[in-house]
Amino acid sequence: MASFMKQAMSYLGLGPDDSYAPPAERALPGEMPAPDAFADQTSQSGVTVVERPPSATPHSGAPVPTSAVRRVATSTAQPFVLMPRMFDDAQQIGDRFKRDQPIILNLQGLDRDTARRLLDFASGLCYARDGEMRKVANAVYMLVPANVVVSDSEHQTVPTGGVDR
């Protein structure tokens, strides 16, 4: 009975695998693998691993980067004041925000449904572009792109009672 089970397991591929070899140790990020790490890895299909000459190694004497984050230069820009009258003005909000211009969005005087749709659009735009949305006054919001800094003096030029234009 035991031989039957061994034969069944072998047929199904559940038995011991004599051709299995543990994977070679992997190099840590920023390290080059040992020269003999791939020496015995000639596959059965005839593919062999070719070593790079030492002059072609990417990290020969160069500093190893420690992170994948790159710094983006921040810019300051004059906020654009927009008082939309209909939802079609959302395109202008998106175009200005894509050009990294801060926007002061004045939703005062709009009907509730249109204001809510524009606010939802603006918050989605800020989320998708890693920006920031700040409430400046009642129904007045400031949309700030990710790589733009709005100075405190610019932020305080907006009256607390709203923007009247």
Side-chain angles (χ1 to χ4, degrees):
M1 179 80 168
S3 66
F4 172 74
M5 291 299 285
K6 285 184 180 180
Q7 287 178 349
M9 287 177 62
S10 176
Y11 178 75
L12 294 173
L14 300 174
D17 190 6
D18 297 332
S19 64
Y20 173 76
E25 285 190 35
R26 302 189 108 195
L28 294 175
E31 292 181 359
M32 293 299 291
D36 60 341
F38 301 110
D40 61 339
Q41 291 189 4
T42 302
S43 68
Q44 295 173 350
S45 65
V47 177
T48 57
V49 177
V50 178
E51 293 292 325
R52 288 186 187 172
S55 62
T57 57
H59 298 293
S60 57
V64 177
T66 57
S67 67
V69 179
R70 68 179 179 144
R71 292 193 149 241
V72 177
T74 59
S75 65
T76 57
Q78 183 75 18
F80 176 75
V81 179
L82 180 65
M83 293 179 51
R85 294 291 154 223
M86 60 183 72
F87 185 73
D88 293 340
D89 295 333
Q91 182 175 1
Q92 188 176 9
I93 297 169
D95 291 341
R96 296 240 181 212
F97 198 80
K98 284 192 313 187
R99 284 188 260 146
D100 293 332
Q101 183 175 12
I103 300 167
I104 296 176
L105 185 62
N106 185 356
L107 300 176
Q108 295 174 344
L110 278 177
D111 62 293
R112 187 175 182 193
D113 291 335
T114 305
R116 179 176 291 156
R117 287 181 67 195
L118 282 168
L119 189 61
D120 288 345
F121 173 79
S123 64
L125 181 66
C126 286
Y127 176 77
R129 306 269 305 173
D130 293 328
E132 184 181 346
M133 187 171 188
R134 303 175 192 165
K135 186 169 184 175
V136 177
N138 186 24
V140 179
Y141 298 90
M142 181 181 287
L143 313 176
V144 183
N147 57 347
V148 175
V149 177
V150 177
S151 66
D152 289 334
S153 62
E154 289 294 331
H155 185 61
Q156 291 173 358
T157 57
V158 179
T160 56
V163 178
D164 297 322
R165 285 193 180 182

